[in-house]
């Protein structure tokens, strides 16, 4: 695995349910990106774009490559969040952290 996932769910979530939710998240994220090996490089590139252009960059200010990475990551992230929290997700329902290898 090329990354570590921490999914934020309610504290009273049983460990088995937490692990199942993390697996759903991983599967949806990896499927949306096309392969598990793509998560780390795409996420790293996404973080670079956000660091340079902010959380909601103006698409016109991005190169075609940056825009492509941003769009792919946002679609994959949305698919993963929906897989765990459902299509009517609210911001207070949890989140995630991805830790990349050094």
């Amino acid at each position: 695995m090329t990354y570590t996932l921490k999914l934020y769910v309610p504290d009273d979530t049983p460990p088995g349910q937490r692990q199942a939710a993390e697996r759903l998240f991983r599967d949806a994220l990896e499927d949306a990106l096309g392969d598990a090996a793509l998560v780390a490089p795409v996420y790293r590139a996404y973080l670079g774009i956000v660091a340079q252009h902010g959380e909601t960059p103006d698409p016109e200010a991005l190169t075609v490559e940056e825009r492509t990475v941003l769009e792919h990551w946002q679609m994959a992230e949305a698919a993963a969040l929906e897989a765990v929290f459902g299509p009517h997700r609210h911001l207070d329902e949890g989140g995630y952290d991805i830790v990349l290898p050094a």
Side-chain angles (χ1 to χ4, degrees), residues 15 18 35-37 43 50 54 71 91 101:
R18 178 185 306 267
D35 189 81
Y43 186 59
V50 169
E71 290 170 358
L91 293 177

Side-chain angles (χ1 to χ4, degrees), residues 1-5 21-43 72-73 75-81 83-84 96 98-100:
M1 203 170 306
T2 59
Y3 65 98
T4 303
L5 172 69
E22 287 177 347
R23 182 78 257 152
L24 276 173
F25 189 97
R26 283 181 188 282
D27 288 347
L29 186 66
E30 293 166 5
D31 288 347
L33 291 174
D35 189 81
L38 293 174
V39 173
V42 172
Y43 186 59
H72 277 88
W73 181 259
M75 287 187 299
E77 178 186 50
L81 289 169
V84 174
Y96 69 94
I98 291 178
V99 179
L100 300 174

Side-chain angles (χ1 to χ4, degrees), residues 16 18 24 28 34-35 37 52 62-63 65 67-68 83 100-101:
R18 178 185 306 267
L24 276 173
D35 189 81
Q52 184 176 359
L62 303 176
T63 66
E65 293 81 9
R67 197 168 32 245
T68 300
L100 300 174

